[in-house]
Amino acid sequence: PLTGADHDRFSKGKAVYASVCAACHSPDGRGQNAPPLLDSDWILGSPQASVRIIMYGLSGAISVNGRSYIGEMPGLGALDDDQIASVLTYLRREWGHTAGPVDPELVKSIRADTAGRVNPWGWRELNPYRQ
């Protein structure tokens, strides 16, 4: 079960998702103009990779649930640490998902570690962070 703070993040994340992400990934997470987030191993695995994708974007090919996609996701680094943790907590707990919540301190640490990055990630760069 989510703690009180995690539940608050889930609610905030739902609002962020609806306003920023759902247009491409669809309200039900099945993807429209972008890969699905529903049951995505990128979302349900280690949050290390998904935090990086949200901050700086993703470019090129990616495989999600065994299907290949090619495209660009813009970086959303203007979102603050709590907003990123909130949207990921939402994604990791919505649609029957049971993955753990994401703490803003993790996002803050990754932001510090990747400071100065300007280019979107490629999937090969992100693979070490998926474990």
Side-chain angles (χ1 to χ4, degrees), residues 41-53 56 58 92 106 109-111 113-114 117 121-131:
D41 52 341
W42 288 90
I43 295 298
L44 301 177
S46 170
Q48 293 278 338
S50 52
V51 168
R52 285 169 169 81
I53 291 170
Y56 298 102
L58 181 71
R92 293 166 62 83
L106 172 67
S109 171
I110 292 171
R111 191 182 298 272
D113 289 347
T114 59
R117 184 177 183 95
W121 296 91
W123 73 268
R124 284 184 182 91
E125 290 179 285
L126 292 169
N127 266 342
Y129 302 106
R130 295 181 66 195
Q131 309 305 321

Side-chain angles (χ1 to χ4, degrees), residues 13-27:
K14 185 175 185 174
V16 171
Y17 183 81
S19 66
V20 178
C21 312
C24 293
H25 292 285
S26 78

Side-chain angles (χ1 to χ4, degrees), residues 57-131:
L58 181 71
S59 180
I62 187 171
S63 177
V64 178
N65 300 339
R67 185 170 171 207
S68 294
Y69 298 86
I70 298 176
E72 302 285 326
M73 178 180 155
L76 303 171
L79 295 176
D80 66 32
D81 298 344
D82 190 61
Q83 289 172 311
I84 293 173
S86 294
V87 77
L88 285 173
T89 295
Y90 170 74
L91 293 172
R92 293 166 62 83
R93 298 298 289 208
E94 183 64 327
W95 310 308
H97 296 160
T98 58
V102 176
D103 190 288
E105 287 300 315
L106 172 67
V107 178
K108 180 180 179 180
S109 171
I110 292 171
R111 191 182 298 272
D113 289 347
T114 59
R117 184 177 183 95
V118 293
N119 294 323
W121 296 91
W123 73 268
R124 284 184 182 91
E125 290 179 285
L126 292 169
N127 266 342
Y129 302 106
R130 295 181 66 195
Q131 309 305 321

